[in-house]
């Protein structure tokens, strides 16, 4: 039976909300509403029914409705499920089933395994009047979640739930943000409302919504809480006037759908979160290579020249990208006929593929709303665009001008989008790309609000800009390694000509039929289908979400827009980009059904990592954003189950400083996704532009490539177990209080501690070494960590401190290579770094690097103890032609004398044992 706790209720302090705009009337209104919320009656629980694996109850408003921000919902339901021994599900929802609930197709729910309450790691307790609940850890009675200090408020357009926290809590997660990794706890607010966010501002909502937090309590354990709610929300982590710490959800809709993860170790919470939102996709081996992009590559020849310049500089380049420059007037699924003609694009891609390199192009959600444009016309024919209630197109503005927006819920949208991708990017007569990048999909709307007229605004803003006759910059140079059509003509002029400008005024949209207005208006249900209340304020709800863009509908698709399934953008906005990315993933699966897709998205939602990747958006070429990239990576990989992430190396906006860019080249090499990308007006920042950056880039990429199988293995285990491939220090040292706030160091995998220089223009870094055995990665010197800071100076622009954690065995390639295909031909060597007891373990996953189905793969376990090295496990992967699965040597660190085998280096205190051993079965040796 469940334990029914009688919890005392304390008086509440105040509800935090938007900072009032100047004016006594506004201030009075906000304060009045706060007082009303604080005096709301809450609910009373009745008809409480308990079973061995759960509880249900009715919740009824306990007094007169306060209607502080909208209408109170009188009757609610409570559902409690012990889904397994480590996961508790608590759901509070309206009895009429009208309030919006996230659809199963967006986030499939985890299985309810009907665990026994008596054996569960976390326990639920209820107080019936006034209703509140408490969640505590069984083994030590630690209270993890307690709603007993202020009443629950559940209204049509406002839901509040508060939980108490311990003093000085360690709270992390709640992405996407650019704030500190461990949150501030006094007067701190997280806003979740997906929005275009140039320069990724601090203390603001960014591109994604991930309402999950980790609460780390040292030796008392770590737990996680996930709120499955897509509504825009403010989450406060603050203190009452009396100093009591709390976390408070304030949403403008939806239901309270909570999943509690018991942990109790930090990485356990990561794994349990993966059980809820899904395990990451396994990405192709080549995606760990180095990528290059810039908005503003003038034409296809310039793209080719960048590729050639990397080769000439001796800097490996795996993937070339092109931004919207390639499009005809910035329209999806087109190419500029003069600067990026299809024939030349096909030559570019075939040349890249011949060089074992890859190509990725961008797509945006806004589809130019003009006739004589097949993507738009076919979409209209298939009824895939969002509509107004009268059946006319819902217009906005993006790069191509006035646009329509795909309705990802419409039944034909997947097929339409797949058809466009397969037609434009087919290998026979299209652009045979290797991945797709979806951008602007929050969705960003250049029309600020509903008073905008998109077509007029596009003309006024000059969107899209007219092409010009300006010659291409840096024209006339040979492009080594590319066909004759890419080379200068005898006159010194490149073969791609500039376009004569043509006025856009003649591009009159063809009339399109309106959709039947009755069928559109009928989409919005009156209730009972969890699609949201029909009679809401769509633009300025009384409770204000503190978005940096202003009101909730500003600069995006307007929130009063109906989706095909009867839901509203008000409720589904935060996963619009998620749906675009998921749709693109399915299209890429259809295009190449046997190969793992690669889709990079700017906007994300909980569970996006199941299929797609993410970069941290439009950052800045600044030291602060260099540091920010570390914090963002830690959150996304270890807490949001999105492992293949990274920032625009050297920064997107503004001009990069060479010294900072060199440092960033090193830092980025130890992050999962590694791409250099810059904005249109920024100077070129390709690594070869400055000697100091070229040197740093070579070292960084060569080191990254040698370690590629190590981190590819870590990705594999995140996809199968949820164990993060990037670890904050407290994940590996959960009882060391000094690690709890560290946000500028991380473990690459679980063995390599990365400690970059983070002070502006400095050659000095102070990093923390836990009380453990480490080895300097570059010199192999053994270091005893003291649980204290270490300061190192005189670090050149090509230096980055890296330490191997004692107890690790790390697989390497003996040499780096120019491409990942060539890299796979290099033999392995294994680096053994024993711990204080002389033991070490490691692992290696091998497959073909790209196929979805892997019937023959290897999962090899390496161990070292008492001088004995062994390799066991499964050895199913037989290398493809030319690949190597040979271990050339094993290097054992921390040795003070020669052994029975191998060569002893007394200076480095290491023993090198030469192979070769083929990884087709068990092997080993005794030193």
């Amino acid at each position: 039976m469940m334990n029914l706790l009688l919890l005392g209720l304390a008086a509440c302090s105040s509800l935090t909300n938007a900072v009032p705009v100047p004016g006594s009337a506004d201030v009075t209104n906000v304060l009045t509403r706060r007082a009303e919320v604080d005096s709301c009656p809450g609910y009373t629980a009745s008809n409480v029914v308990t079973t061995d694996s759960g509880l249900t109850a009715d919740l009824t408003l306990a007094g007169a409705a306060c209607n502080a921000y909208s209408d109170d919902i009188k009757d609610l339901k409570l559902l409690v499920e012990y889904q397994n021994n480590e996961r508790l599900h608590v759901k509070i929802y309206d009895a009429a089933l009208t309030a919006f609930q996230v659809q199963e197709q967006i986030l499939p729910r985890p299985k309810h395994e009907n665990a026994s309450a008596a054996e569960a790691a976390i326990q639920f307790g209820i107080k019936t009047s006034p209703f509140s609940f408490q969640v505590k850890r069984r083994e030590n009675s630690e209270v993890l979640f307690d709603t007993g200090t202020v009443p629950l408020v559940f209204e049509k357009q406002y839901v509040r739930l508060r939980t108490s926290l311990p003093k000085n809590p360690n709270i992390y997660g709640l992405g996407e943000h650019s704030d500190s990794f461990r949150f501030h706890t006094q007067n701190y607010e997280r806003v979740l409302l997906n929005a275009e966010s140039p320069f990724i501002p601090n203390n603001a909502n960014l591109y994604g919504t991930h309402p999950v937090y980790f609460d780390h309590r040292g030796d008392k354990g770590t737990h996680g809480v996930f709120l499955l709610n897509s509504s825009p929300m403010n989450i406060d982590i603050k203190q009452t006037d009396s100093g009591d710490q709390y976390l408070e959800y304030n949403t403008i809709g939806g239901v309270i759908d909570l999943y509690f993860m018991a942990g109790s170790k930090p990485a356990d919470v990561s794994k349990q979160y993966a059980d809820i939102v899904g395990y990451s996709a396994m990405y192709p081996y080549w995606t760990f290579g180095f990528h290059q992009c810039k908005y503003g590559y003038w034409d296809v020849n310039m793209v080719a020249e960048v590729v050639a310049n990397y080769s000439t500089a001796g800097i490996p380049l795996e993937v070339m990208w092109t931004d919207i420059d390639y499009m005809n007037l910035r329209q999806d699924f087109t190419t500029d006929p003069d600067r990026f003609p299809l024939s030349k694009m096909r030559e570019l891609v075939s040349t890249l593929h011949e060089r074992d390199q890859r190509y990725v192009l961008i797509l945006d959600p806004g589809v130019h709303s003009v006739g004589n444009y097949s993507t738009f016309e076919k979409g209209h024919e298939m009824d895939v665009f969002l509509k107004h209630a009268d059946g006319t197109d819902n217009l906005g503005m993006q790069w191509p001008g006035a646009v329509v927006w795909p309705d990802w819920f419409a039944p034909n949208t997947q097929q339409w989008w797949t058809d466009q991708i397969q037609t434009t990017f087919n290998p026979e007569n299209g652009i045979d790309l290797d991945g797709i990048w979806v951008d602007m999909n929050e969705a960003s709307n250049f029309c600020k609000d509903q008073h905008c007229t998109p077509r007029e605004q596009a003309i006024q803003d000059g969107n899209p800009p007219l092409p010009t006759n300006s010659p291409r910059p840096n024209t006339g140079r040979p492009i080594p390694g590319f066909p004759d059509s890419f080379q200068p003509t005898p006159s010194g002029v490149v073969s791609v000509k500039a376009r004569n400008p043509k006025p856009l005024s003649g591009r009159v949209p063809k009339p399109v039929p309106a959709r039947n207005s009755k069928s559109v208006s009928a989409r919005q249900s009156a209730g009972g289908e969890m699609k949201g209340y029909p009679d809401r304020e769509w633009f300025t709800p009384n409770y204000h979400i503190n978005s940096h863009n202003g009101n909730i509908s500003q600069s995006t698709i307007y929130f009063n827009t109906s989706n095909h399934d009867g839901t509203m953008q008000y409720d589904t906005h935060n996963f619009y980009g998620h749906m675009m990315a998921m749709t693109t993933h399915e299209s890429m699966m259809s295009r190449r059904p046997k190969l793992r897709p690669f889709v990079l998205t700017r906007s994300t939602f909980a569970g996006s990592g199941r299929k797609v990747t993410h970069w941290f958006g439009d950052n800045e070429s600044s030291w602060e954003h260099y540091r920010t990239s570390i914090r963002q990576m830690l959150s996304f990989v270890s807490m949001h189950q999105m492992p293949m992430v990274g920032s625009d190396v050297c920064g997107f906006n503004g001009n990069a400083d060479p010294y900072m860019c060199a440092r960033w080249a090193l830092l980025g090499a130890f992050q999962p996704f590694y791409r250099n990308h810059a904005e249109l007006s920024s100077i070129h920042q390709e690594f070869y532009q400055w000697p100091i950056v070229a040197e740093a880039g070579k070292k960084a990429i060569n080191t990254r490539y040698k370690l590629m199988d190590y981190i590819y293995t870590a990705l594999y285990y995140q996809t199968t177990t949820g164990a993060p491939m990037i670890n904050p220090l407290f994940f590996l040292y959960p009882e060391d209080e000094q690690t709890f706030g560290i946000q500028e160091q991380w473990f690459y995998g679980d063995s390599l501690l990365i400690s970059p220089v983070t002070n502006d223009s400095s050659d000095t870094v102070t990093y923390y070494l836990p009380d453990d055995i480490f080895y300097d990665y570059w010199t192999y010197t053994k270091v005893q960590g003291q649980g204290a800071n270490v300061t190192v100076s005189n670090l050149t622009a090509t230096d980055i401190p890296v330490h191997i954690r004692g107890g690790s065995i790390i697989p390497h390639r003996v040499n780096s290579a120019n491409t990942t295909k060539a890299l796979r031909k290099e033999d392995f060597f294994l680096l053994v770094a024993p711990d204080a007891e002389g033991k070490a373990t490691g692992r290696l996953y091998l497959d073909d690097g790209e196929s979805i189905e892997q019937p023959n793969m290897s999962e090899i376990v390496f161990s070292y103890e008492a001088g004995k090295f062994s390799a066991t496990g499964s050895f199913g992967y037989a290398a493809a032609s030319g690949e190597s699965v040979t271990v050339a040597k094993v290097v054992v660190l921390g040795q003070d004398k020669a052994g029975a085998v191998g060569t002893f280096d007394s200076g480095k205190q290491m023993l090198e044992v030469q192979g070769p051993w083929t990884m087709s079965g068990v092997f080993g040796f005794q030193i």
Side-chain angles (χ1 to χ4, degrees):
M1 296 293 291
M2 300 186 65
N3 182 27
L4 301 182
L5 301 176
L6 296 179
L7 307 178
L9 292 181
C12 70
S13 57
S14 63
L15 172 72
T16 56
N17 195 0
V19 176
V21 294
S24 59
D26 293 318
V27 172
T28 300
N29 185 42
V30 170
L31 293 177
T32 298
R33 283 214 171 99
R34 287 178 178 174
E36 289 174 351
V37 169
D38 291 341
S39 62
C40 284
Y43 289 80
T44 299
S46 61
N47 300 322
V48 178
V49 178
T50 64
T51 68
D52 183 53
S53 61
L55 176 152
T56 60
D58 297 329
L59 303 180
T60 306
L61 199 64
C66 61
N67 298 332
Y69 290 101
S70 58
D71 296 336
D72 282 280
I73 307 303
K74 180 181 177 182
D75 296 312
L76 306 177
K77 294 283 188 180
L78 170 67
L79 171 67
V80 179
E81 297 173 327
Y82 287 91
Q83 294 193 332
N84 61 35
N85 284 344
E86 288 78 37
R87 184 174 69 243
L88 175 70
H89 180 215
V90 178
K91 184 175 179 181
I92 301 171
Y93 57 100
D94 60 308
L97 294 177
T98 301
F100 177 78
Q101 297 190 35
V102 175
Q103 299 94 327
E104 284 272 348
Q105 75 183 88
I106 303 303
L107 188 65
R109 305 306 194 263
K111 183 180 179 182
H112 179 17
E113 299 173 19
N114 293 296
S116 171
E119 299 176 2
I122 47 179
Q123 301 289 298
F124 179 87
I126 184 174
K127 180 183 176 184
T128 57
S129 183
F131 164 73
S132 66
F133 69 89
Q134 188 182 82
V135 176
K136 68 178 182 179
R137 190 179 299 282
R138 168 182 290 281
E139 68 174 357
N140 58 11
S141 298
E142 180 79 3
V143 176
L144 310 182
F145 202 89
D146 184 355
T147 69
T149 59
V150 296
L152 165 69
V153 179
F154 200 117
E155 300 178 349
K156 284 185 178 180
Q157 294 194 257
Y158 178 67
V159 178
R160 179 184 75 170
L161 184 72
R162 179 186 293 186
T163 179
S164 300
L165 292 174
K167 292 186 181 298
N168 303 313
N170 302 295
I171 306 295
Y172 315 81
L174 299 178
E176 180 175 11
H177 63 84
S178 57
D179 301 345
S180 63
F181 176 51
R182 180 178 62 178
F183 294 138
H184 299 293
T185 56
Q186 296 186 26
N187 203 35
Y188 180 70
E189 180 181 69
R190 284 291 307 115
V191 179
L192 299 185
L193 173 61
N194 293 11
E196 179 166 16
S197 304
F199 296 89
I200 55 170
N202 293 117
N203 302 313
N205 49 308
L206 300 183
Y207 309 102
T209 290
H210 298 266
V212 59
Y213 72 84
F214 283 43
D215 184 342
H216 178 61
R217 301 187 183 181
D219 59 4
K220 295 180 179 178
T222 309
H223 70 278
V225 182
F226 171 52
L227 173 64
L228 177 50
N229 184 309
S230 61
S231 297
M233 67 182 77
N234 298 330
I235 302 176
D236 296 330
I237 304 176
K238 299 182 178 179
Q239 296 175 355
T240 65
D241 293 340
S242 60
D244 294 327
Q245 190 75 52
Y246 66 86
L247 181 145
E248 182 175 273
Y249 299 102
N250 298 276
T251 84
I252 59 169
V255 301
I256 297 169
D257 196 354
L258 294 165
Y259 291 85
F260 295 92
M261 295 153 278
S264 62
K265 294 180 180 179
D268 293 338
V269 181
S270 297
K271 297 173 184 177
Q272 291 156 15
Y273 185 60
D275 287 336
I276 298 170
V277 300
Y279 289 78
S280 165
M282 187 66 187
Y283 296 105
Y285 187 89
W286 60 262
T287 59
F288 283 102
F290 174 65
H291 305 241
Q292 177 62 51
C293 187
K294 188 184 191 304
Y295 177 23
Y297 287 142
W298 182 261
D299 61 15
V300 66
N301 279 43
M302 182 179 279
V303 174
E305 190 165 3
V306 170
V307 176
N309 287 347
Y310 269 102
S311 295
T312 300
I315 305 172
L317 174 65
E318 182 74 11
V319 190
M320 191 65 199
W321 298 54
T322 305
D323 211 311
I324 61 173
D325 308 287
Y326 81 91
M327 299 177 181
N328 180 35
L329 297 173
R330 298 175 169 176
Q331 297 171 12
D332 283 344
F333 306 111
T334 68
T335 60
D336 185 305
D338 295 321
R339 292 179 181 159
F340 291 86
L342 179 59
S343 60
K344 289 290 292 291
M345 291 289 277
R346 285 179 51 78
E347 278 191 290
L348 171 72
V349 176
S350 63
T351 303
L352 288 172
H353 288 171
E354 288 168 4
R355 296 159 57 105
D356 297 327
Q357 294 170 301
R358 311 281 177 158
Y359 194 48
V360 175
L361 289 174
I362 192 172
L363 291 173
D364 294 325
V367 174
H368 199 200
S369 55
V370 296
N372 304 314
Y373 171 38
S374 62
T375 297
F376 170 73
E377 292 179 331
K378 188 65 175 178
H380 234 287
E381 177 185 323
M382 297 178 72
D383 197 21
V384 304
F385 300 125
L386 292 168
K387 305 290 183 182
H388 294 297
D390 64 0
T392 59
D393 287 333
N394 187 335
L395 295 183
M397 191 171 75
Q398 275 194 346
W399 294 117
V403 298
V404 290
W405 308 102
D407 181 344
W408 305 110
F409 283 108
N412 294 329
T413 305
Q414 178 70 72
Q415 186 61 55
W416 164 75
W417 193 249
T418 297
D419 289 346
Q420 296 301 308
I421 285 175
Q422 290 188 335
T423 299
T424 308
F425 305 128
N426 72 79
E428 290 76 24
N429 53 23
I431 304 170
D432 188 18
L433 50 66
D434 299 282
I436 289 181
W437 164 25
V438 291
D439 192 18
M440 306 292 290
N441 55 343
E442 292 72 34
S444 175
N445 186 356
F446 296 168
C447 271
K448 186 174 180 64
D449 58 35
Q450 67 271 24
H451 304 296
C452 167
T453 304
R455 297 196 193 281
E456 294 178 3
Q457 190 71 42
I459 294 172
Q460 179 179 323
D461 294 351
N463 226 335
L466 293 173
T468 71
N469 278 322
S470 300
R472 177 170 76 87
N474 66 324
T475 184
R477 292 193 290 267
I479 305 177
F482 280 80
D484 290 343
S485 60
F486 284 81
Q487 308 307 324
T489 64
S491 63
V493 179
V494 291
S495 58
V496 176
K497 64 181 183 300
R499 181 195 299 193
N500 291 319
K502 298 177 182 178
L504 292 181
S505 57
R507 298 198 62 150
V508 179
K510 288 168 57 177
V512 293
R515 183 158 52 185
N516 184 289
S517 60
K518 291 183 179 180
S519 66
V520 176
S521 59
R523 291 175 176 179
Q524 182 61 30
S525 170
E529 298 179 350
M530 301 174 287
K531 295 183 178 180
Y533 293 95
D535 51 340
R536 288 178 282 178
E537 168 51 54
W538 306 113
F539 299 103
T540 55
N542 287 327
Y543 181 80
H544 185 71
I545 299 299
N546 295 326
S547 170
H548 69 79
N549 275 344
N551 291 328
I552 53 176
S553 269
Q554 288 190 206
S555 302
T556 191
I557 300 170
Y558 308 140
F559 275 30
N560 66 337
T561 304
S562 171
N563 302 310
H564 193 279
D565 70 343
T567 58
M568 304 294 286
Q569 283 291 311
Y570 180 101
D571 300 298
T572 66
H573 163 87
N574 276 343
F575 53 74
Y576 184 86
H578 165 94
M579 292 190 75
M580 180 189 186
M582 293 299 203
T583 302
T584 305
H585 174 275
E586 294 308 305
S587 298
M588 290 292 281
M589 286 282 291
S590 296
R591 176 176 172 268
R592 299 196 305 191
K594 295 184 178 180
L595 299 183
R596 299 169 186 161
F598 176 71
V599 177
L600 182 84
T601 179
R602 191 168 76 177
S603 185
T604 61
F605 185 68
S608 291
R610 287 183 289 124
K611 295 182 179 180
V612 299
T613 69
H614 172 63
W615 94 107
F616 303 140
D618 296 347
N619 64 353
E620 177 184 50
S621 294
S622 69
W623 285 99
E624 176 55 28
H625 284 187
Y626 163 93
R627 292 184 287 267
T628 299
S629 72
I630 305 172
R631 308 192 297 263
Q632 293 176 303
M633 171 189 65
L634 291 175
S635 293
F636 267 94
V637 181
S638 66
M639 296 174 179
H640 301 328
Q641 284 297 335
M642 293 202 71
M644 184 56 74
V645 293
S647 65
D648 283 340
V649 170
C650 299
F652 178 71
N653 289 294
N655 293 329
D657 166 77
Y659 186 80
M660 181 203 68
C661 192
R663 289 276 184 228
W664 212 329
L666 293 164
L667 180 151
F670 294 98
Q671 296 189 323
F673 176 60
Y674 188 30
R675 182 183 72 167
N676 183 325
H677 184 214
E679 193 265 337
L680 176 66
S681 63
S682 300
I683 62 173
H684 282 267
Q685 62 186 37
E686 294 84 5
F687 284 174
Y688 55 76
Q689 296 288 344
W690 302 286
I692 192 174
V693 181
E695 184 182 357
K698 289 178 186 178
K699 177 179 179 179
I701 296 171
N702 286 340
T703 304
R704 178 183 176 89
Y705 280 24
K706 289 179 183 179
L707 288 164
M708 193 168 293
D709 295 272
Y710 162 77
I711 201 64
Y712 184 74
T713 298
L715 172 65
Y716 171 73
Y717 284 106
Q718 181 151 5
T719 69
T720 54
T721 71
M725 62 184 282
I726 299 291
N727 285 274
L729 269 69
F730 83 86
F731 271 47
L732 300 185
Y733 299 91
E735 297 185 14
D736 182 349
E737 293 185 3
Q738 299 300 312
T739 67
F740 298 172
I742 291 177
Q743 60 181 13
E744 293 177 352
Q745 294 175 257
W746 68 96
F747 278 94
Y748 189 62
D750 57 9
S751 297
L752 292 177
L753 177 60
I754 315 300
S755 309
V757 172
T758 53
N759 291 329
D760 298 14
S761 305
S762 178
D763 68 352
T764 299
V765 61
T766 297
Y767 54 81
Y768 182 77
L769 274 188
D771 182 7
D772 205 346
I773 297 291
F774 291 90
Y775 299 83
D776 186 296
Y777 180 77
W778 308 110
T779 67
Y780 294 166
T781 302
K782 187 176 181 179
V783 180
Q784 174 62 59
Q786 301 295 326
N789 288 333
V790 177
T791 299
V792 179
S793 298
N794 301 316
L795 293 167
T796 72
T798 63
D799 291 332
I800 181 171
V802 178
H803 289 87
I804 307 166
R805 188 185 186 206
S808 304
I809 299 177
I810 302 177
H812 291 69
R813 297 286 178 168
V814 172
N815 298 300
S816 180
N818 285 328
T819 65
T820 60
K821 183 174 181 179
L823 180 69
R824 293 172 68 93
K825 298 178 181 179
E826 296 290 332
D827 288 346
F828 288 87
F829 86 91
L830 305 175
L831 190 60
V832 180
D835 61 15
E837 298 179 350
K839 300 177 182 179
T841 60
R843 57 194 181 185
L844 176 63
Y845 171 75
L846 295 172
D847 66 12
D848 71 13
E850 196 164 23
S851 299
I852 293 174
E853 297 295 329
Q854 296 284 349
N856 300 307
M857 57 189 185
S858 296
E859 291 186 64
I860 304 168
V861 178
F862 305 115
S863 64
Y864 178 83
E865 184 176 358
K868 181 180 179 180
F869 172 86
S870 63
T872 59
S874 65
F875 299 87
Y877 181 65
S881 176
E883 288 188 12
S884 173
V885 291
T886 298
V887 175
K889 61 183 179 180
V890 177
V891 176
V892 184
L893 304 183
Q895 302 303 296
D896 56 9
K897 60 181 180 180
V901 297
T903 303
F904 177 62
D905 186 326
S906 60
K908 293 186 177 181
Q909 290 192 309
M910 73 177 202
L911 187 70
E912 183 174 303
V913 182
Q914 293 290 331
W917 300 273
T918 300
M919 289 185 284
S920 57
V922 173
F923 64 93
F925 56 82
Q926 178 76 48
I927 63 173

